[in-house]
Amino acid sequence: MKKFLSLVLAALLVLSCTAAFADGIKIAVPNDPTNEGRALLLLQANGYITLDPNAGVTATAADVIDNPLGIEFVEVEAAMVPNILPDVDYAIINNNYALDFGLNPVADSLLIESADSPYANVLCVNAGNENTDAAKALAAALYSQKVADFITATYNGAAVSVVAEPTDGFDPTVDYAALAGTTITVAASPTPHAQILAVAAEILAEKKITLDVIEYTDYVQPNMAVADGDLFANYFAHIPYQENFNAENGTNIVVVAPIHVEPMGLYGGQQANLDALNAK
């Protein structure tokens, strides 16, 4: 009798869970090119959806060709995704916005990209400026062991340096004496980019070069500030985003140096675990 009751209770529990998720699962994703595709690729990598193989890094919800869970994708501006966590089952959030929101990507995410993600965050300038002493000096500072150690100690895996051979922070081909007294302006998102640049600023200050970091909370203005010549460089986005931005906006912003990668993660909103995704 006890065994029978246990089986009945188990069956009721399964039916209850199935009913709870019958209306579909809502997952918020960034709506900008490449980051939405990146979020969808994370779900595909974990077996929840299948994307059209021709969609590439700019895939959107319209490119989902198999969605057995009936997931509803809530497409939101990347900076706003953390704010709607209470209104959705899950949200896939760029790490810089997760950190700004007080989330620990390693401890709080339910799914996360591997640290060898190809989406390296890069230092960029307008084409023609990539070989200037200013660009090389800033890149060298970001390539330093001091910056690599800061990234490792501060972010505990939420940001991972991709610099294979960190240096002392200085480029022997740069005429630092000629740069002394000058200011290099760079656009960045607050976390972690502006924080990392603060370490680079200390290195540049040793050569009497000032690094002026202008913080932005979106992904468009930093590129436009560089494209328009208002700022010299930016450091906020990954390579696929920059390439797609150039293609869509007619800009010619080029990569100077890849610095770190921020594994993107899926976080629980109305769901505290992955049971809803694994219920069927």
Side-chain angles (χ1 to χ4, degrees), residues 243-265:
E243 291 175 345
N244 187 74
F245 187 94
N246 283 336
E248 289 196 343
N249 295 277
T251 52
N252 196 7
I253 299 170
V254 299
V255 173
V256 176
I259 308 301
H260 76 276
V261 65
E262 300 171 21
M264 180 181 267

Side-chain angles (χ1 to χ4, degrees), residues 208-219:
K208 296 181 171 50
I209 303 165
T210 300
L211 185 63
D212 186 13
V213 180
I214 311 300
E215 296 185 8
Y216 293 88
T217 57
D218 75 292
Y219 287 163

Side-chain angles (χ1 to χ4, degrees), residues 158-228:
V160 180
S161 173
V162 297
V163 179
E165 297 181 2
T167 69
D168 63 358
F170 302 106
D171 183 333
T173 70
V174 170
D175 185 352
Y176 284 98
L179 286 177
T182 64
T183 296
I184 300 172
T185 57
V186 56
S189 58
T191 309
H193 306 86
Q195 296 169 341
I196 294 170
L197 285 167
V199 181
E202 295 174 358
I203 296 170
L204 292 170
E206 294 180 33
K207 299 294 185 179
K208 296 181 171 50
I209 303 165
T210 300
L211 185 63
D212 186 13
V213 180
I214 311 300
E215 296 185 8
Y216 293 88
T217 57
D218 75 292
Y219 287 163
V220 175
Q221 292 186 81
N223 271 334
M224 296 313 300
V226 171
D228 293 341

